[in-house]
């Protein structure tokens, strides 16, 4: 049974060997420390261990074992299921461990397990270097990467995990280990999409790529133009170079200077084009989409780190989202996808998204547990709203989108894109053969399933 309090002696014992900060329900700032991205989540841990070092992580894990406390691990806190916080247990909070150090000569970056994309991107930007990150700046690097890591740069540079060179990890028994191609390669394999099942990642090292220029274009149309525009976008992406990323999105048009008054506050369809190159080249490549009579337009070259911050989701909203990876996107799927846009909560921060995959993702390492790598499209109903009264409608909309896409769904899915949808969903998400191998790795590194607040892979 979950514990709701820790006795003073137990807290004092942990504090005696802990360099960071311990927060309990009586502490000032407790409510802020326990809040996560999804405002639906309201859990009260017995203690939040804000770690400064890997030794703190080991101490917190050991203490939780001794006290019989459930463990949650917090990096960015973006899990839609609220996996970063536990009721009555202990939170291993990594947010103080966010340093990012770039070696421009080897083109690598080393980041702490609590770093967000903003920490990583702003460290690499001065060197005109980058690696694939999340689609907003507040996502935690660790959980994002261990789940696979899909972002705007993936068609050019591959998934985040494809660029992973090593991970420092604290295991369930408190050991610090390094996972790389040459050290603990079984663990290193599992950390490429297997999620946070195997320990607490305290440091990650990534390979970087030159990115001297970056361009973004956002084109807007009225919602009823969606089916026609999506067909054109589908055909455009079929021959687009790897430099092109982005997505097709239904959203509530914001009152930005480039948005016509007729669209502000209303459901609109948008094409976002990201380009790993200068604006002139981006305009040339995007010409087929620029000739479709859009009503709103923003095209600009800008630093990649700045672009990431522009898309940050507002905090304090209620969340529900899911995803499917698709084998194809025929006209029937286009029509079903566009029809469901009318059921979104509008106005809201919700987004109804189709991401193109392909490029470097499809060509990436086939040996890792990324069973969806060959899928050309990903559908991602991303619901965000303010009022609890809208919870049922918001959830049902996302579930209906997923149900519509089943004729083309491959079953495998990026774990970062889904919440707590059951064990079978996780097995299908990574693929059955991968699941069995991941379970064997789990049995070796965490036989008691101490780390289970994640897309859990049980010990074999």
């Amino acid at each position: 049974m979950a514990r709701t309090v820790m006795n003073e002696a137990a807290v004092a014992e942990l504090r005696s060997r802990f360099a960071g900060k311990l927060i309990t329900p009586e502490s000032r700032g407790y409510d802020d420390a326990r809040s996560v991205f999804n405002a639906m989540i309201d859990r009260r841990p017995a203690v939040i261990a804000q770690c400064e070092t890997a030794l703190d992580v080991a101490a917190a894990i050991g203490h939780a074992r001794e006290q019989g406390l459930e463990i949650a691990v917090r990096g960015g806190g973006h899990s839609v299921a609220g996996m970063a916080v536990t009721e009555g247990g202990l939170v291993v909070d990594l947010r103080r461990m966010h340093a990012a150090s770039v070696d421009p000569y080897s083109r690598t970056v080393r980041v702490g397990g609590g770093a967000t994309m903003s920490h990583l991107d702003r460290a690499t930007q001065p060197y005109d270097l980058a690696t694939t990150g999340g689609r907003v700046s507040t996502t935690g690097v660790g959980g994002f990467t261990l789940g696979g890591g899909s972002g705007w740069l993936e068609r050019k540079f591959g998934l985040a995990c494809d660029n992973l060179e090593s991970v420092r990890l604290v295991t369930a028994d408190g050991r610090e280990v390094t996972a790389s191609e040459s050290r603990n390669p079984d663990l290193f394999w599992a950390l490429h999409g297997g999620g946070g099942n195997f320990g607490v990642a305290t440091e990650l090292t990534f390979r970087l790529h030159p990115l001297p220029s970056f361009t973004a274009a956002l084109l807007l149309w009225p919602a009823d133009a969606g089916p026609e525009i999506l067909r054109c976008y589908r055909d455009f992406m079929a021959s687009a170079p790897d430099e092109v990323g982005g997505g097709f999105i239904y959203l509530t048009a914001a009152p930005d200077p480039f948005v016509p008054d007729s669209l502000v506050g209303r459901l609109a369809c948008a094409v976002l084009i990201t380009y790993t190159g200068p604006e002139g080249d981006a305009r040339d490549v995007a010409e087929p989409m620029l000739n479709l009579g859009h009503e709103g337009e923003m095209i600009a070259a800008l630093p990649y780190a700045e672009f990431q911050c522009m898309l940050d989701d507002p905090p304090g909203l209620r969340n529900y989202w899911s995803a499917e990876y698709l084998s194809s996107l025929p006209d029937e799927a286009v029509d079903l996808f566009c029809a469901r846009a009318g059921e979104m909560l509008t106005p809201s921060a919700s987004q109804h998204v189709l991401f193109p995959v392909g490029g470097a993702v499809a060509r990436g390492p086939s040996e890792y547990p990324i069973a969806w790598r060959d899928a050309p499209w990903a559908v991602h109903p991303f619901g965000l709203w303010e009022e609890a009264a809208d919870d049922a409608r918001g959830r049902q909309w996302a579930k209906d989108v997923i149900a519509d896409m089943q004729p083309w769904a491959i079953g495998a899915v990026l774990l970062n894109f889904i919440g707590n949808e059951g064990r079978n969903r996780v097995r299908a998400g990574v693929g059955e053969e991968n699941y069995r191998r991941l379970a064997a790795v789990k049995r070796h590194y965490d036989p008691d399933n101490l780390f289970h607040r994640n897309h859990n892979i049980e010990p074999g």
Side-chain angles (χ1 to χ4, degrees):
M1 181 177 294
R3 301 271 294 278
T4 56
V5 295
M6 285 177 61
N7 64 59
E8 292 183 7
V11 174
E13 195 280 331
L14 175 57
R15 186 173 282 119
S16 69
R17 52 194 173 103
F18 195 80
K21 183 178 182 180
L22 297 181
I23 298 177
T24 63
E26 298 76 29
S27 303
R28 179 181 299 177
Y30 173 75
D31 285 337
D32 285 340
R34 71 184 178 91
S35 66
V36 291
F37 181 70
N38 186 356
M40 283 188 183
I41 308 302
D42 183 20
R43 299 194 183 111
R44 300 181 63 83
V47 61
I48 301 169
Q50 295 189 330
C51 303
E52 296 276 1
T53 66
L55 290 176
D56 278 352
V57 173
I61 292 171
H63 189 80
R65 295 194 74 135
E66 293 164 6
Q67 297 294 319
L69 296 171
E70 181 180 58
I71 291 176
V73 182
R74 175 166 187 156
H78 266 244
S79 159
V80 68
M83 294 173 181
V85 64
T86 171
E87 182 68 31
L90 183 146
V91 176
V92 179
D93 189 336
L94 303 174
R95 284 177 289 178
R96 293 183 171 215
M97 301 171 63
H98 59 69
S101 177
V102 178
D103 183 339
Y105 301 102
S106 65
R107 290 182 180 170
T108 58
V109 59
R110 187 173 66 250
V111 299
T116 65
M117 290 303 154
S118 183
H119 294 121
L120 190 159
D121 295 335
R122 292 194 180 281
T124 61
Q125 186 74 61
Y127 303 98
D128 289 337
L129 296 171
T131 195
T132 300
R135 292 180 170 89
V136 295
S137 72
T138 55
T139 301
V141 174
F144 167 82
T145 303
L146 302 185
S150 169
W152 304 122
L153 303 181
E154 67 186 12
R155 282 175 44 84
K156 180 64 174 177
F157 300 142
L159 301 170
C161 70
D162 294 341
N163 292 284
L164 193 59
E165 297 216 329
S166 67
V167 182
R168 291 285 295 168
L169 199 81
V170 178
T171 59
D173 58 5
R175 291 180 299 129
E176 290 186 62
V177 302
T178 297
S180 66
E181 289 186 356
S182 60
R183 302 177 66 182
N184 300 301
D186 59 337
L187 178 59
F188 191 57
W189 172 86
L191 299 179
H192 287 71
N197 294 273
F198 311 101
V200 180
T202 58
E203 184 180 278
L204 302 94
T205 300
F206 296 92
R207 184 167 55 256
L208 299 173
H209 306 270
L211 188 65
S213 55
F214 178 85
T215 303
L218 184 65
L219 310 177
L220 292 172
W221 291 265
D224 59 10
E228 175 188 356
I229 301 304
L230 180 49
R231 286 177 172 84
C232 294
Y233 179 67
R234 174 193 62 192
D235 297 342
F236 164 71
M237 287 306 305
S239 59
D242 293 354
E243 287 78 6
V244 174
F248 179 90
I249 311 167
Y250 280 99
L251 44 69
T252 301
D256 293 319
F258 67 92
V259 179
D261 291 342
S262 60
L263 292 182
V264 172
R266 301 179 61 185
L267 184 67
C269 71
V271 169
L272 173 63
I273 296 174
T274 61
Y275 188 80
T276 54
E279 181 179 342
D281 292 351
R283 286 182 177 272
D284 290 343
V285 170
E287 185 177 4
M289 300 307 302
L290 294 172
N291 291 334
L292 296 178
H294 53 276
E295 296 187 12
E297 173 188 305
M298 185 286 293
I299 304 179
L302 71 168
Y304 171 67
E306 294 300 324
F307 172 74
Q308 289 283 71
C309 295
M310 290 170 61
L311 300 173
D312 285 354
D313 303 306
L317 297 180
R318 306 175 77 80
N319 282 233
Y320 186 83
W321 15 282
S322 189
E324 288 288 2
Y325 279 73
L326 310 181
S327 59
S328 62
L329 188 65
D331 287 349
E332 183 182 357
V334 168
D335 291 340
L336 286 169
F337 176 85
C338 293
R340 286 293 181 191
E343 299 175 15
M344 283 174 59
L345 289 164
T346 308
S348 76
S350 297
Q351 300 174 20
H352 187 31
V353 189
L354 268 168
F355 291 124
V357 194
V361 177
R363 297 192 304 272
S366 60
E367 65 270 22
Y368 294 133
I370 306 290
W372 46 268
R373 191 180 285 278
D374 293 335
W377 293 95
V379 61
H380 187 31
F382 189 82
L384 304 98
W385 57 90
E386 295 183 10
E387 303 297 333
D390 291 323
D391 287 356
R393 181 182 167 192
R395 286 194 186 100
Q396 192 60 50
W397 163 69
K399 292 176 180 178
D400 288 343
V401 171
I402 297 306
D404 287 344
M405 296 296 110
Q406 289 311 298
W408 307 280
I410 65 171
V413 67
L414 173 69
L415 298 183
N416 299 117
F417 277 177
I418 66 172
N420 185 5
E421 299 184 15
R423 179 183 179 189
N424 289 341
R425 182 74 152 134
V426 174
R427 294 181 78 104
V430 298
E432 192 63 34
E433 183 178 343
N434 288 329
Y435 187 92
R436 288 193 293 269
R437 184 176 171 187
L438 289 165
V441 177
K442 174 76 167 182
R443 184 171 64 247
H444 180 78
Y445 288 94
D446 184 14
D448 299 323
N449 204 17
L450 190 71
F451 303 116
H452 58 263
R453 290 202 57 77
N454 45 53
H455 292 102
N456 194 234
I457 293 163
E458 298 175 6

